[in-house]
Amino acid sequence: MKSVTPEQARQVLDFLRDGILPTLQYAGYDTVQAAISRSERVHKLQQAVRPLITEFLNPNPYKDEKKNPNHEFNYTTEHLPRVEEQAVKQLAGLGLTAQPILVPLTGKQEQGADGMMALPYLADLGRKMGIDNPTRSGYAEVTNRVLTALNNSHRFYKYRKAKVDSDHLRLNDEVASLIEKLESESTIPAQPGIIRFHLLPISTGAVYAGYSPRNARTDALLSGNLPLGSAHTGCILLSWTRRLEKWEQRLIDCSADECRLENGEWLGCLYFHFGGDKLRLDVCDAGNALASTGSPVAYLDARPS
């Protein structure tokens, strides 16, 4: 996303001066001071104003890329393991010997999420696997290690056109920057012998059912949340093995991924689905909305003030 220019910043300040300042002046100093001194009221105002500003600016050029979801493709959260068990299963599946440390990022369950889930720090996975720059140049290699683990734990098939190397798979730049920021600001420092996991409410497809992958990714980022790529989604499937075990369950677009298609353009993304008694990985057009798919998202927006 491009930075705001000085002229655009001036226009925003003029808008706030002409549109917001008169309202505050009318309310009076004591009223305004009393309101902003209560953090819970400020947080509530932020949550109310953000979607209004987002709608006003309308910065998502892909918002019309969606279809009515086909509810014959569904899933339940009945067999979602406890978060501690998720982290242990992911490390075991990856063949990594380390102590899992859960780092909560939110203060509540988010409406629409499947439940609380454990997402491993990519920095920690990269360090433990000996892979440099796991959110950038090393992302495809980390994803390959996750897919190898899925191949060992599931009946798994990767289509030939779903190429997982640095020439064909990368993490969206804005998503990579957000992950790097979240991990660098961790309250638990990196240590030998541990792998940190963010503890977050996550939807694995229901919230963005019917959206094109790039529409889901853009909407999630604009909402202050984290769309997930194939490395994190694969880790979830390592621990939540019942999420994709039959054809009727909603397919999962990894919307944070960017894949180079056969025409050379980075306009694809990986997706997981089930068919022929196997968990399968394929590549799709990120602008294609399907009624049977959905993109995973981790909610950061519910963070306590």
Side-chain angles (χ1 to χ4, degrees):
M1 185 176 290
K2 295 181 179 179
S3 300
V4 174
T5 66
E7 174 60 23
Q8 289 171 326
R10 185 192 63 77
Q11 291 174 348
V12 170
L13 291 175
D14 288 345
F15 168 77
L16 293 175
R17 181 197 63 203
D18 298 336
I20 305 299
L21 191 57
T23 301
L24 298 178
Q25 291 174 331
Y26 178 79
Y29 173 83
D30 291 338
T31 301
V32 173
Q33 186 64 32
I36 64 176
S37 65
R38 296 174 57 183
S39 61
E40 69 276 8
R41 293 189 66 179
V42 173
H43 182 67
K44 185 176 180 180
L45 177 62
Q46 291 170 339
Q47 299 305 308
V49 168
R50 176 180 289 166
L52 294 176
I53 293 177
T54 298
E55 183 178 358
F56 173 72
L57 295 175
N58 190 24
N60 183 357
Y62 314 118
K63 63 184 180 65
D64 293 329
E65 294 179 356
K66 58 183 176 181
K67 292 185 176 179
N68 292 327
N70 182 346
H71 295 294
E72 292 182 5
F73 289 85
N74 214 330
Y75 61 95
T76 71
T77 60
E78 179 182 357
H79 300 288
L80 177 65
R82 294 180 300 107
V83 287
E84 296 84 1
E85 185 181 352
Q86 292 175 36
V88 170
K89 283 187 172 183
Q90 290 178 32
L91 292 181
L94 292 166
L96 300 178
T97 302
Q99 179 186 0
I101 301 293
L102 298 178
V103 185
L105 262 188
T106 67
K108 65 178 182 179
Q109 174 67 281
E110 183 74 13
Q111 186 177 3
D114 301 339
M116 301 299 289
M117 299 188 201
L119 279 189
Y121 282 34
L122 292 184
D124 289 5
L125 290 185
R127 185 179 66 252
K128 192 70 175 176
M129 294 174 176
I131 299 171
D132 294 330
N133 211 356
T135 54
R136 305 284 179 172
S137 60
Y139 178 70
E141 193 173 353
V142 171
T143 301
N144 256 320
R145 292 286 294 270
V146 174
L147 297 179
T148 298
L150 284 172
N151 189 50
N152 294 333
S153 63
H154 294 64
R155 288 174 55 83
F156 181 72
Y157 181 80
K158 182 172 76 70
Y159 287 86
R160 185 176 300 175
K161 63 180 180 179
K163 298 176 181 179
V164 184
D165 57 61
S166 58
D167 289 332
H168 294 89
L169 174 67
R170 67 189 183 191
L171 194 59
N172 171 266
D173 181 69
E174 201 169 345
V175 175
S177 296
L178 178 55
I179 291 174
E180 291 161 359
K181 180 177 184 294
L182 292 170
E183 294 185 356
S184 67
E185 294 176 348
S186 176
T187 56
I188 306 294
Q191 303 171 42
I194 74 167
I195 289 184
R196 296 163 295 176
F197 289 77
H198 277 136
L199 179 58
L200 291 161
I202 291 175
S203 165
T204 60
V207 169
Y208 285 118
Y211 282 61
S212 74
R214 64 185 181 184
N215 183 13
R217 178 181 66 225
T218 305
D219 187 86
L221 288 169
L222 290 172
S223 300
N225 297 315
L226 177 66
L228 302 186
S230 49
H232 276 145
T233 304
C235 285
I236 290 173
L237 293 174
L238 277 174
S239 57
W240 190 7
T241 57
R242 305 289 295 272
R243 170 58 182 86
L244 267 177
E245 61 176 359
K246 54 186 178 181
W247 167 249
E248 296 83 5
Q249 290 172 314
R250 185 164 297 283
L251 290 63
I252 305 176
D253 292 323
C254 304
S255 67
D257 286 350
E258 292 179 346
C259 295
R260 191 198 298 269
L261 300 177
E262 292 181 355
N263 62 7
E265 295 184 303
W266 291 88
L267 295 176
C269 83
L270 296 177
Y271 73 98
F272 290 97
H273 64 103
F274 193 89
D277 295 327
K278 291 181 181 179
L279 177 67
R280 297 171 181 265
L281 181 75
D282 206 346
V283 65
C284 66
D285 184 337
N288 190 19
L290 296 175
S292 58
T293 66
S295 298
V297 58
Y299 288 96
L300 310 176
D301 211 26
R303 205 179 311 182
S305 58

